[in-house]
């Protein structure tokens, strides 16, 4: 049965929700648990998917971030959804490189462990790998697991996966002072936009960094979705996306062109 809350109730959830009861898997480079900006954070899982002798294995993440990217994502999610439960599944390496099979295994484990949202601040543009991504994105859709993804930083119309599947909430970066502001554009695979330009984030080595990219816009949508789900946990992935379409501000016309963002 279709379920959509009244718009006034949904807007109230976006304003007041804190993400309580919502489980978010951060598929990234790991999360630095000792970072002062993440004080008090307890991860429900801290795993690393690694390749050893041509086989994928799962090891302890040990509270480490190999790059800084995952720590930034966790910090941004916590700003807007401080009561959401985070899990770290490391699928990206020291230079944010990975293999599609590693990402697929990380997503599979996240779903098996009962996460409601997968934050995927990455993209793969290799067309031969599309079916690898389709397999777990389709599984997430059937399980009503929500996927939020980044897009290509050089041109948001460039195909990358998982972002170029219609069930995914794919996000571009825009310049705004409001971390909770988000926008919607019709007739594009990258439908959403949120704060992601010149953003201060926690980084590896207990440091901070000013960053730009769709990677840092995606966790804004992840956190806002967590606010909604904390108040309306019955929302399916389809319903949540349709509701966010209606709640978002229209993207200003001057922003509705491919933008060249230097990737971080």
């Amino acid at each position: 049965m279709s379920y959509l809350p009244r718009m006034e109730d949904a807007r109230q959830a976006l304003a007041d929700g804190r993400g309580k009861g919502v489980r978010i898997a951060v598929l990234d480079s790991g999360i630095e648990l000792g970072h002062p900006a993440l004080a008090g954070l307890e991860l429900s899982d801290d795993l690393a998917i690694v390749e050893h002798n041509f086989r994928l294995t799962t090891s302890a993440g040990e509270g480490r971030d190999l790059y800084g990217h995952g720590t930034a994502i966790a910090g941004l999610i916590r700003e807007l959804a401080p009561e959401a439960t985070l899990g770290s599944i490391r699928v990206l390496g020291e230079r944010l490189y990975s293999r599609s099979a590693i990402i697929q295994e990380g997503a599979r484990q996240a779903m098996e462990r009962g996460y409601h949202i997968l934050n995927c601040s990455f993209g793969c543009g290799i067309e031969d790998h599309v079916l690898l991504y389709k397999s777990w994105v389709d599984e997430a859709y059937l399980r009503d697991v929500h996927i939020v993804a980044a897009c290509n930083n050089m041109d948001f119309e460039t195909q990358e996966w998982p972002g170029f599947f219609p069930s995914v909430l794919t996000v571009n970066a825009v310049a705004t002072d409001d971390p909770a502001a988000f926008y919607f554009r019709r007739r594009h695979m990258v439908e959403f936009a949120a704060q992601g330009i010149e953003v201060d984030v926690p980084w590896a080595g207990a440091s901070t960094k000013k960053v730009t990219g769709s990677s840092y816009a995606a966790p804004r949508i992840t956190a806002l979705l967590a606010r909604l789900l904390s108040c309306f946990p019955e929302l399916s992935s389809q319903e949540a996306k349709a509701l966010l379409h209606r709640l978002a501000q229209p993207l200003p016309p001057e922003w509705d062109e491919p933008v060249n963002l230097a990737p971080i």
Side-chain angles (χ1 to χ4, degrees):
M1 179 180 295
S2 179
Y3 170 81
L4 282 179
R6 298 182 306 167
M7 289 305 295
E8 55 264 40
D9 294 335
R11 291 190 182 96
Q12 195 66 44
L14 272 187
D16 297 339
R18 295 176 61 82
K20 186 174 183 178
V22 180
R23 290 167 53 82
I24 302 170
V26 178
L27 277 66
D28 216 283
S29 58
I31 295 174
E32 186 177 297
L33 267 180
H35 199 292
L38 302 181
L41 175 62
E42 295 183 5
L43 297 174
S44 57
D45 290 292
D46 186 10
L47 311 174
I49 311 299
V50 297
E51 186 175 20
H52 181 68
N53 292 334
F54 303 103
R55 299 183 65 179
L56 298 182
T57 61
T58 303
S59 62
E62 300 178 336
R64 296 175 57 224
D65 185 340
L66 300 184
Y67 189 81
H69 197 262
T71 300
I73 301 310
L76 292 169
I77 292 171
R78 289 189 87 210
E79 283 183 20
L80 295 181
E83 295 183 14
T85 298
L86 300 189
S88 174
I89 301 183
R90 189 197 304 155
V91 295
L92 305 181
E94 293 180 354
R95 297 185 180 181
L96 298 186
Y97 295 152
S98 188
R99 293 181 57 236
S100 295
I102 291 175
I103 290 170
Q104 180 184 35
E105 177 61 15
R108 186 193 69 78
Q109 291 211 25
M111 287 186 276
E112 288 296 325
R113 292 168 184 269
Y115 286 94
H116 304 112
I117 305 173
L118 311 186
N119 189 95
C120 302
S121 286
F122 52 78
C124 172
I126 303 172
E127 292 188 4
D128 289 349
H129 291 200
V130 171
L131 291 181
L132 278 175
Y133 286 88
K134 186 177 188 302
S135 66
W136 62 265
V137 170
D138 285 355
E139 182 180 353
Y141 174 78
L142 293 174
R143 290 180 177 227
D144 274 331
V145 174
H146 309 260
I147 300 173
V148 182
C151 67
N152 185 286
N153 281 330
M154 307 305 290
D155 180 352
F156 71 80
E157 293 182 336
T158 297
Q159 292 186 109
E160 287 189 350
W161 297 276
F164 264 64
F165 291 114
S167 61
V168 176
L169 285 75
T170 309
V171 192
N172 198 10
V174 293
T176 173
D177 293 330
D178 184 356
F182 69 109
Y183 304 87
F184 170 61
R185 62 162 65 85
R186 293 185 179 276
R187 301 182 180 90
H188 286 279
M189 295 303 291
V190 181
E191 296 173 285
F192 295 98
Q195 185 189 63
I197 297 177
E198 294 290 298
V199 180
D200 292 313
V201 296
W203 204 257
S207 66
T208 60
K209 189 173 184 177
K210 190 177 291 292
V211 296
T212 289
S214 63
S215 285
Y216 312 105
R220 298 301 194 190
I221 296 296
T222 290
L224 293 171
L225 174 59
R227 286 184 175 188
L228 280 179
L229 293 177
S230 67
C231 298
F232 307 109
E234 305 92 344
L235 286 173
S236 70
S237 55
Q238 275 185 308
E239 291 164 345
K241 189 173 188 180
L243 187 58
L244 287 169
H245 286 171
R246 297 179 64 190
L247 291 167
Q249 301 177 57
L251 192 74
E254 62 269 23
W255 291 351
D256 200 17
E257 294 293 335
V259 176
N260 185 349
L261 298 176
I264 301 299

